[in-house]
């Protein structure tokens, strides 16, 4: 099918002239990106090389850290180039590719967090049956399905916007966004809107429902169980819940920024809110788990100190 997009590039208007401060912003973002890559890579290596961490919970964590690297790599190199550039444009093909990366990252984050909540549910509510239920084969299947679903679910909205007839190419953000492109369309967007509702239902509502159900069961067991059971639940579930809330807040900020007119807010604040879940979550997740999970923390110290 012939591509009906009228423009070969998009222009971003959220960038502002910062003069020589752009080099400071570049250094700050570059440092943040390096920190994200190093923190996530460190924990991936720690889990892979240490056989005592080859358990379902840590393998799911490893998948989560890989997703953080994937999402941040879809954004930071683009931002770094745009900050140093005097003309803030990107080709349509690269914009669609970035849309695919960022939305599949967000989808994968929700799905992996839902799978992790199911794993904690089995470990705490059915400890005697946990090893028979959460086998290595099932772990591999769950991780594979999480990634496969996130990639396939994002393929549809990306392909739908590729063939939209656009009446403009101005995006009032600092990165590509599917909804911003849909707002530029002068052709029928019914299919995009319908799939958007389906996408939101299966990507947000279903994982959120699973997480809510599992944690209600976990809380019930904790209140009726021993002190040791409560301590185990807190030590393993607190980082997961904190990461989930942080990511959910980031998504909420992004939706508000995209759907509503926020021109009355300072430009810096609007940019920060729109990028929160893509800049803070990839760093927040490894720090949270690295500091709160004793086995990972001890292994990290041994690896860094050269004792392994």
């Amino acid at each position: 099918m012939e591509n009906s997009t009228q423009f070969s590039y998009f222009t971003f208007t959220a960038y502002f002239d910062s003069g020589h401060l752009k080099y400071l912003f570049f250094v700050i973002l570059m440092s943040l990106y390096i920190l994200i890559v190093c923190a996530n890579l460190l924990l991936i290596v720690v889990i892979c090389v240490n056989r005592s961490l080859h358990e379902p919970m840590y393998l799911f964590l490893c998948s989560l850290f890989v997703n953080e690297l994937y999402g941040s790599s879809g954004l930071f190199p683009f931002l770094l180039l745009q900050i140093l550039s005097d003309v803030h444009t990107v080709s349509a093909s690269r914009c669609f590719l970035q849309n695919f990366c960022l939305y599949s990252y967000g989808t994968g984050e929700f799905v992996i967090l839902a799978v992790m909540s199911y794993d904690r549910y089995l470990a705490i509510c059915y400890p005697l049956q946990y090893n028979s239920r959460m086998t290595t084969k099932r772990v591999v299947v769950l991780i594979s399905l999480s990634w496969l679903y996130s990639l396939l679910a994002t393929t549809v909205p990306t392909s739908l916007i590729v063939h939209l007839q656009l009446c403009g190419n101005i995006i009032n953000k600092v990165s590509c966004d599917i909804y911003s492109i849909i707002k530029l369309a002068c052709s029928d967007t019914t299919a995009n809107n319908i799939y958007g509702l389906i996408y939101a239902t299966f990507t947000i509502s279903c994982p959120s429902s699973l997480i809510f159900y599992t944690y209600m069961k976990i809380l019930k067991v904790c209140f009726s169980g021993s002190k040791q059971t409560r301590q185990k639940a807190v030590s393993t579930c607190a980082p997961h819940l904190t990461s989930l809330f942080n990511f959910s807040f980031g998504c909420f900020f992004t939706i508000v920024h995209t759907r509503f007119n926020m021109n009355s807010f300072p430009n810096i604040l609007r940019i920060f809110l729109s990028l929160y879940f893509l800049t803070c979550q990839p760093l927040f997740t490894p720090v949270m788990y690295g500091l709160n999970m004793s086995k990972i923390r001890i292994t990290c110290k041994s690896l860094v100190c050269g004792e392994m």
Side-chain angles (χ1 to χ4, degrees):
M1 181 184 294
E2 183 182 355
N3 191 335
S4 59
T5 303
Q6 294 178 322
F7 300 94
S8 60
Y9 67 92
F10 292 97
T11 300
F12 303 98
T13 59
Y15 291 94
F16 56 93
D17 185 12
S18 56
H20 292 297
L21 284 177
K22 67 180 181 181
Y23 299 107
L24 175 61
F25 295 146
F26 178 86
V27 171
I28 292 173
L29 279 180
M30 175 62 81
S31 301
L32 179 60
Y33 183 45
I34 292 174
L35 193 58
I36 288 172
V37 171
C38 291
N40 284 282
L41 274 181
L42 173 64
L43 295 185
I44 291 171
V45 170
V46 164
I47 293 173
C48 290
V49 302
N50 195 303
R51 296 183 64 86
S52 66
L53 297 179
H54 290 181
E55 301 174 8
M57 178 175 64
Y58 298 106
L59 294 178
F60 291 135
L61 272 177
C62 189
S63 179
L64 188 66
F65 297 144
V66 171
N67 193 51
E68 306 298 359
L69 283 178
Y70 170 67
S72 58
S73 297
L75 175 70
F76 276 92
F78 173 84
L79 285 182
L80 293 171
L81 288 174
Q82 290 294 326
I83 286 176
L84 293 181
S85 176
D86 294 326
V87 181
H88 306 295
T89 62
V90 65
S91 66
S93 59
R94 290 185 179 181
C95 188
F96 297 143
L97 177 61
Q98 185 181 59
N99 274 320
F100 178 83
C101 291
L102 300 187
Y103 276 78
S104 57
Y105 158 73
T107 303
E109 195 82 358
F110 266 120
V111 175
I112 295 171
L113 288 172
V115 170
M116 290 173 64
S117 71
Y118 173 68
D119 172 70
R120 292 300 82 210
Y121 162 72
L122 290 181
I124 295 171
C125 298
Y126 301 96
L128 299 180
Q129 305 173 35
Y130 177 73
N131 289 330
S132 61
R133 290 194 178 193
M134 192 57 70
T135 61
T136 302
K137 181 180 179 180
R138 178 165 293 184
V139 171
V140 172
V141 169
L142 287 173
I143 292 176
S144 300
L145 288 177
S146 299
W147 281 91
L148 184 62
Y149 172 76
S150 64
L151 295 175
L152 291 179
T154 314
T155 300
V156 178
T158 304
S159 62
L160 287 175
I161 64 169
V162 167
H163 299 290
L164 283 176
Q165 182 180 359
L166 305 180
C167 296
N169 66 338
I170 305 298
I171 297 178
N172 189 26
K173 296 188 72 174
V174 294
S175 63
C176 294
D177 176 75
I178 288 180
Y179 186 71
S180 297
I181 296 176
I182 291 176
K183 289 195 294 185
L184 297 174
C186 47
S187 56
D188 184 31
T189 60
T190 302
N192 303 81
N193 296 329
I194 292 175
Y195 184 79
L197 291 174
I198 297 173
Y199 175 83
T201 299
F202 285 95
T203 301
I204 300 176
S205 300
C206 290
S208 298
S209 299
L210 175 61
I211 293 171
F212 179 79
Y213 172 80
T214 54
Y215 273 97
M216 287 298 99
K217 293 293 185 180
I218 289 172
L219 286 174
K220 183 178 179 181
V221 170
C222 289
F223 282 120
S224 61
S226 63
K227 182 179 179 180
Q228 183 180 4
T229 302
R230 288 194 294 271
Q231 289 176 340
K232 177 185 177 182
V234 170
S235 64
T236 59
C237 294
H240 178 264
L241 281 176
T242 307
S243 181
L244 174 65
F245 287 139
N246 183 68
F247 183 71
S248 298
F249 281 128
C251 291
F252 173 76
F253 293 150
T254 302
I255 293 172
V256 169
H257 176 265
T258 302
R259 300 277 175 168
F260 299 98
N261 187 353
M262 298 185 65
N263 291 332
S264 59
F265 288 81
N267 199 28
I268 289 289
L269 178 61
R270 285 189 283 129
I271 293 173
F272 174 76
L273 293 180
S274 68
L275 297 178
Y276 181 86
F277 87 106
L278 287 162
T279 55
C280 295
Q281 181 71 7
L283 180 61
F284 181 87
T285 297
V287 171
M288 175 58 61
Y289 284 102
L291 292 177
N292 283 275
M293 303 194 75
S294 58
K295 290 182 71 173
I296 291 181
R297 186 172 64 251
I298 293 170
T299 308
C300 283
K301 288 181 179 179
S302 301
L303 183 63
V304 172
C305 296
E307 297 176 2
M308 289 187 66

